Amino acid sequence: MVKKLSERQEHILTYIKDFLDEHSYPPTVRDIQTGCNISSTSVVDYNLRILQRDGYLKRETEVSRGIELLGSNKPKIQDFVSVPILSNIAAGDPLPVTTQDNWNHENTETLDLPTFLVDGKDDVFGVRVKGQSMIDAFITDGDLVLLEPTTNAVNGEMVAAWIQDNQEVTLKHFYLENGTVRLQPANPMMDPIYVPADKVSVQGRVVGVIRSVN
Amino acid sequence: MVKKLSERQEHILTYIKDFLDEHSYPPTVRDIQTGCNISSTSVVDYNLRILQRDGYLKRETEVSRGIELLGSNKPKIQDFVSVPILSNIAAGDPLPVTTQDNWNHENTETLDLPTFLVDGKDDVFGVRVKGQSMIDAFITDGDLVLLEPTTNAVNGEMVAAWIQDNQEVTLKHFYLENGTVRLQPANPMMDPIYVPADKVSVQGRVVGVIRSVN
DNA sequence: ATTTATACAGAACATACGTGCGCAAACCGC
DNA sequence: GCGGTTTGCGCACGTATGTTCTGTATAAAT
């Protein structure tokens, strides 16, 4: 039972949406009336009832501006997390240490992400993968890698590790085996890297990857 | 000049915030009155004026519910896009065709994603990668793959392709070469699959990948 | 031809809701 | 104490705003 909306109903719907973008409260019946060139409030009410019946919005009776958009029209007022994005990381540099305290809210580029990507982690930040050195089997050029700052990785976790001798950051699975760190590519075809523990520093734990094609 | 808010003003502010979380419209003066155990509407008005003067909110005079929170209290209204998530895809089934029209707003699981992942694409939907058949070099078990429905892929694009003879959906780069489709794994170690064009149907173009570790 | 459903118009009604006024209690420096 | 400001109270007024009733027009259904 997919009802097609009349032109007027579409108009009303987009009007409400636009109104909510400009103000922070819903429009009144009369706002909609003048905004959509409707000659009577009862017509607005009539169409609002239809929109409500078909699940496009919800109305609170007897309440002024008691309109709530539903479904795809619903404005998402929701918990998401702004994470700083470190860009322009030179290929051979360690990641600059970034925490809540020292990242500049004004100058740093940020991205708002759904909470589920960050849940339970602290100070998550993003790094845009550039060039080949950071690429692993399931991470490729252009990916946005989400990292949780840490210096102590648990064996098996994928981490961003700064390898002093190579002067580079790499993304690998981390294993500390009596004094030596084994950095294991996820790609089984690639050989692991062995580094003395004091020549490698863990900079973050990979908590997510986001790739946008095009 | 940081004015310290009175206990009552704090209470009002948090009440408005909570109210906005539950409803999709701001509270009235009287809502605040009862919600904060205040005995008179004028007291609410008095404190609202102070909160407005100190920049915590904005009021539209003569407008019911004309309250807008500002600053850190401001609810971030972000344009997120709800995409339906197809779960429980049996390993050997084609993806069910899902469009704006036929996906059930009530029953389908959705995920709210930042717009940049979906910009310019239509009817994007997500598929949770399960098992091995869909895995490619840069996509692994558990990833959420974002697809734009299409049946006509451009050479080189990564697509979800239904291979009739194998009865499975696979994610590969698509190349149509005089009557034969070459499905090329991103992993150069893996061999391409050649399929007659009439035995393969493109179901969607990969527009993004999201991986959440843990 | 009659009925039924949809869509709109105009106006009146009822209440939801912001605002203003007078006054009291509490607080504050002197 | 005393004046002043801040904060709170109760109430009433008036507008803002949802609701409803009556009526019309059109098209499809019977």
Side-chain angles (χ1 to χ4, degrees):
Chain A
M1 203 276 295
V2 186
K3 286 265 180 179
K4 198 169 159 286
L5 292 182
S6 75
E7 195 174 326
R8 179 155 277 184
Q9 283 150 15
E10 293 275 10
H11 192 183
I12 291 179
L13 216 47
T14 60
Y15 178 79
I16 297 175
K17 214 172 176 180
D18 291 348
F19 192 100
L20 280 169
D21 279 342
E22 282 200 47
H23 313 73
S24 56
Y25 42 82
T28 65
V29 169
R30 275 168 248 267
D31 287 332
I32 299 172
Q33 183 191 357
T34 59
C36 296
N37 291 314
I38 298 173
S39 58
S40 171
T41 58
S42 66
V43 176
V44 178
D45 182 67
Y46 171 74
N47 285 286
L48 284 180
R49 281 172 196 276
I50 294 176
L51 288 170
Q52 177 173 29
R53 185 200 52 185
D54 293 359
Y56 291 91
L57 48 81
K58 218 175 70 182
R59 292 176 82 193
E60 199 78 21
T61 51
E62 316 267 286
V63 167
S64 71
R65 304 173 186 275
I67 297 177
E68 176 180 1
L69 289 181
L70 297 176
S72 57
N73 300 294
K74 187 183 204 162
K76 300 292 164 353
I77 304 176
Q78 88 187 39
D79 285 331
F80 56 87
V81 185
S82 282
V83 301
I85 306 298
L86 306 184
S87 47
N88 302 323
I89 306 285
D93 286 346
L95 302 177
V97 178
T98 304
T99 66
Q100 283 281 34
D101 297 327
N102 75 355
W103 65 278
N104 187 321
H105 285 255
E106 282 72 35
N107 299 352
T108 311
E109 186 192 355
T110 67
L111 207 54
D112 298 321
L113 300 177
T115 48
F116 77 91
L117 283 169
V118 180
D119 265 354
K121 288 99 178 180
D122 295 321
D123 298 328
V124 170
F125 62 99
V127 177
R128 186 71 63 182
V129 173
K130 269 191 198 144
Q132 303 297 312
S133 74
M134 290 168 77
I135 294 185
D136 193 359
F138 297 121
I139 295 176
T140 186
D141 195 37
D143 285 5
L144 181 70
V145 177
L146 301 179
L147 295 167
E148 180 186 20
T150 183
T151 52
N152 297 308
V154 174
N155 277 4
E157 287 180 338
M158 180 174 265
V159 300
W162 165 250
I163 305 174
Q164 205 176 314
D165 291 351
N166 302 16
Q167 291 284 300
E168 67 173 27
V169 174
T170 186
L171 298 169
K172 297 279 182 295
H173 288 279
F174 173 93
Y175 295 92
L176 176 58
E177 294 159 337
N178 48 357
T180 299
V181 171
R182 172 164 59 95
L183 295 171
Q184 180 75 47
N187 185 341
M189 313 260 191
M190 293 167 67
D191 290 327
I193 303 174
Y194 294 93
V195 192
D198 59 340
K199 292 294 181 66
V200 61
S201 56
V202 172
Q203 303 210 289
R205 175 193 356 263
V206 175
V207 300
V209 179
I210 295 177
R211 179 179 316 142
S212 181
V213 180
N214 290 344
Chain B
M1 204 278 295
V2 185
K3 284 263 182 180
K4 199 168 159 286
L5 293 182
S6 75
E7 194 173 328
R8 181 157 274 181
Q9 285 150 14
E10 292 276 10
H11 193 183
I12 291 178
L13 215 46
T14 61
Y15 178 79
I16 296 175
K17 213 172 178 179
D18 292 348
F19 192 99
L20 280 169
D21 279 341
E22 280 200 49
H23 313 74
S24 57
Y25 42 82
T28 66
V29 169
R30 283 171 179 76
D31 287 332
I32 300 172
Q33 183 192 358
T34 59
C36 296
N37 290 314
I38 298 173
S39 58
S40 173
T41 58
S42 64
V43 176
V44 178
D45 183 66
Y46 170 74
N47 286 288
L48 283 180
R49 282 173 196 275
I50 294 177
L51 287 170
Q52 178 173 27
R53 176 184 45 116
D54 294 359
Y56 291 91
L57 48 82
K58 217 175 71 182
R59 293 176 82 193
E60 199 78 21
T61 52
E62 316 271 286
V63 167
S64 70
R65 304 174 187 275
I67 297 178
E68 176 181 0
L69 289 181
L70 297 176
S72 58
N73 300 294
K74 186 184 208 160
K76 300 178 185 173
I77 304 176
Q78 180 85 2
D79 273 337
F80 269 53
V81 183
S82 280
V83 302
I85 305 298
L86 305 183
S87 46
N88 304 322
I89 307 286
D93 286 346
L95 302 178
V97 178
T98 304
T99 65
Q100 283 278 36
D101 296 327
N102 75 356
W103 66 277
N104 185 321
H105 286 252
E106 281 72 34
N107 299 353
T108 311
E109 185 192 356
T110 67
L111 208 51
D112 300 320
L113 300 177
T115 47
F116 77 92
L117 282 168
V118 180
D119 266 353
K121 288 99 179 179
D122 294 322
D123 298 328
V124 170
F125 63 98
V127 176
R128 185 72 61 181
V129 173
K130 270 189 196 144
Q132 302 298 311
S133 74
M134 291 168 76
I135 294 185
D136 193 359
F138 298 121
I139 296 175
T140 185
D141 196 37
D143 284 5
L144 182 70
V145 176
L146 301 179
L147 295 166
E148 180 185 22
T150 184
T151 52
N152 296 307
V154 174
N155 276 5
E157 286 180 337
M158 179 173 264
V159 300
W162 166 251
I163 304 174
Q164 203 176 315
D165 291 351
N166 302 17
Q167 292 283 298
E168 68 174 25
V169 174
T170 186
L171 297 170
K172 296 279 182 295
H173 287 278
F174 174 93
Y175 296 92
L176 176 58
E177 294 158 339
N178 49 357
T180 298
V181 171
R182 171 164 59 94
L183 296 172
Q184 180 74 49
N187 186 341
M189 313 261 192
M190 293 167 67
D191 290 328
I193 303 173
Y194 293 93
V195 192
D198 60 339
K199 291 295 181 66
V200 61
S201 57
V202 172
Q203 304 211 288
R205 176 195 355 264
V206 174
V207 299
V209 178
I210 296 177
R211 180 178 314 141
S212 182
V213 180
N214 289 343

